[in-house]
């Protein structure tokens, strides 16, 4: 397990046939076809690899059913558990496309629209599928061989693979999908070229084909060579290998939110002074940055430091960084108070800032000394995905659509506990008098962010209403509570 305590993301993707259509699992009758022009919920498949044989995979639909084929080549998607008919071999092609071969019958899966079968004895264009990752595109990249994370090294103008914990905004990479290939984009909006240089524009040298080996990812460049870390700092660039070995393999991991906290005394909460947590610093560095790891069940939060330890409730309400793993005293409840937050410890008391900056969990209620300003630091580029798709500007209006298969990259700007959200054109989000979210504001409008559960963010407008996607996908500022339509992967 790497130092970040994360598991690799489960690989989810869309499969695109030779006509540019996505493999779709229909909600009724467990039918499959290849008719959809874009990647939405019904087109997302989860890859489950055999623990003994990594080349054998099962494909699970959004309904939790498995793709299967019989001896006559008939394809179904209704098995609710894995069986021998659900096992396929991935036969990767030089252009990155996959052929899927039934392990049992050794025939290939392909076709178009409603006419899909698994009966072909040889691979033609109709049996080839391009792979479109359906994960949220922002993640941390872990080198399997070096057990280190990739990050932007701005002074050296490269992506270095030498970080023990993916810390700060530099460790956030965005996978940009363009015409069946992927670009790696840094937090300062540059693209990784195959020679290791960072370029302002994407092009042939920045486009990589994704390949899968033993459940890990490899990035193949336009010359057929693979990205790998080289030299003492692990400079990410294409090496000499035209076959991926361990050095060329990577895991994608979820990027947890990282925050800085300012107390009522105007100082940053810090661990610079040792094991005690206190609000006594005037600048933001790694020792003032904390990673929020939100428990999926309790929704309580652990606060991890750059040293790898966690906040811990100790005797007399003290807060120290002595926890090394999950425990009840390392869990804190976050109460979201608009532009401020309050933290409640396992003793049922709120954390309060004393005159000397010391943090103690001793308060029964929330007053000024119990309030903290929380600033999210590792999402300067914001990509939002809701239950129906990504958030993107409407083609022909100033409204926002939350059900698109493509995404816009928005800019998140912090402003004293609130946030301003800016589009590609430099204009701001606001909620109009009809409750619709618009993206052409001349002046910024305040929004509040909440991180109510693992991997999800909620946004409130200046009236305290949640932004949500309606049935048609349009973004509205009228949500009264945290419904699924108001929660966004970010």
């Amino acid at each position: 397990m790497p130092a970040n305590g994360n598991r690799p993301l489960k690989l989810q993707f869309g499969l695109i046939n030779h006509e540019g259509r996505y493999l779709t699992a229909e909600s009724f009758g467990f039918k499959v076809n290849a008719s959809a022009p874009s990647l939405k919920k019904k087109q997302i498949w989860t890859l489950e690899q055999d623990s003994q044989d990594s080349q054998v995979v099962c494909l699970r639909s959004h309904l939790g059913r498995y793709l299967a084929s019989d001896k006559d080549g008939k394809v179904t998607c209704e098995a609710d558990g894995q069986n021998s008919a659900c096992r396929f071999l991935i036969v990767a092609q030089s252009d990155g496309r996959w052929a899927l071969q039934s392990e049992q019958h050794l025939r290939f899966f392909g076709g178009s629209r409603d006419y899909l079968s698994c009966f072909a004895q040889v691979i033609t264009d109709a049996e080839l599928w391009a792979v479109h990752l359906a994960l949220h595109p922002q993640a941390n990249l872990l080198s399997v061989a070096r057990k280190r994370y990739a990050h932007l090294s701005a002074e050296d103008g490269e992506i270095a693979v030498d970080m023990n914990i993916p810390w700060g905004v530099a460790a956030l990479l965005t996978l940009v999908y363009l015409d069946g290939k992927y670009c790696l984009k840094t937090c300062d909006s540059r693209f990784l070229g195959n020679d290791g240089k960072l370029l302002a524009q994407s092009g042939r040298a920045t486009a990589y084909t994704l390949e899968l080996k033993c459940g890990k990812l490899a990035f193949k460049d336009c010359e057929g060579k693979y990205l790998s870390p080289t030299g003492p700092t692990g400079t990410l660039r294409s090496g000499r290998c035209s076959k991926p070995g361990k050095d060329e393999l990577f895991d994608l991991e979820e990027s947890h939110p990282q925050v800085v906290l300012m107390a009522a005394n105007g100082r940053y909460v810090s661990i610079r002074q040792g094991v005690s947590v206190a609000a006594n610093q005037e600048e933001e560095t790694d020792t003032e940055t904390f990673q929020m790891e939100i428990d999926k069940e309790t929704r309580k939060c652990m606060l991890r430091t750059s040293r790898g330890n966690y906040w811990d409730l100790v005797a007399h309400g003290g807060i120290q960084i002595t926890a090394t793993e999950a425990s009840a005293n390392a869990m804190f409840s976050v109460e979201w108070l608009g532009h401020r937050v309050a933290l409640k410890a396992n003793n049922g008391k709120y954390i309060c800032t004393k005159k000397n900056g010391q943090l103690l969990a001793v308060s029964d209620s929330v007053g000024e000394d119990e309030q903290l300003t929380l600033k999210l630091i590792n999402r300067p580029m914001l990509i939002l995905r809701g239950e129906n798709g990504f958030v993107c500007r409407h083609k022909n209006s100033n409204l926002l659509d939350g059900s698109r298969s493509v995404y816009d990259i928005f800019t998140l700007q912090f402003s004293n506990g609130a946030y301003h959200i800016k589009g590609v054109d430099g204009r701001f989000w606001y909620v109009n008098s009809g409750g619709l979210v618009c993206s052409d504001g001349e002046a910024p409008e305040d929004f509040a962010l909440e991180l109510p559960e693992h991997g999800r963010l909620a946004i409130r407008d200046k009236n305290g209403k949640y932004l949500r996607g309606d049935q048609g996908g349009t973004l509205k500022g009228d949500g009264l509570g945290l419904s699924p339509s108001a929660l966004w992967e970010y």
Side-chain angles (χ1 to χ4, degrees), residues 329-460:
N329 280 342
M331 296 277 188
F332 297 86
S333 300
V334 185
E335 293 187 9
W336 302 93
L337 313 168
H339 298 174
R340 301 288 182 268
V341 299
L343 297 174
K344 188 187 266 189
N346 191 43
N347 61 2
K349 305 284 186 181
Y350 290 98
I351 291 178
C352 118
T353 308
K354 294 299 179 188
K355 291 279 179 281
N356 63 357
Q358 190 184 6
L359 296 194
L360 290 174
V362 293
S363 298
D364 292 317
S365 59
V366 177
E368 195 177 327
D369 290 339
E370 288 72 34
Q371 294 189 35
L372 298 159
T373 304
L374 179 146
K375 173 183 172 184
L376 178 66
I377 62 139
N378 62 337
R379 289 297 184 280
M381 299 188 297
L382 191 64
I383 296 171
L384 295 173
R385 182 164 79 166
E387 54 177 359
N388 298 312
F390 288 104
V391 175
C392 192
R393 266 189 72 164
H394 263 298
K395 288 193 184 82
N396 308 315
S397 76
N398 63 346
L399 301 179
L400 290 158
D401 187 347
S403 63
R404 296 287 295 280
S405 60
V406 292
Y407 54 80
D408 278 343
I409 298 178
F410 300 99
T411 304
L412 195 62
Q413 297 176 334
F414 181 76
S415 173
N416 187 26
Y419 294 85
H420 303 148
I421 305 172
K422 196 162 76 168
V424 189
D425 57 1
R427 291 170 180 259
F428 293 94
W429 286 23
Y430 64 96
V431 179
N432 70 12
S433 55
L436 296 167
V437 184
C438 305
S439 60
D440 61 346
E442 296 286 336
E445 187 164 291
D446 283 354
F447 290 94
L449 294 193
E450 299 180 2
L451 308 173
E453 58 180 70
H454 184 95
R456 298 292 183 276
L457 164 151
I459 305 173
R460 297 179 97 151

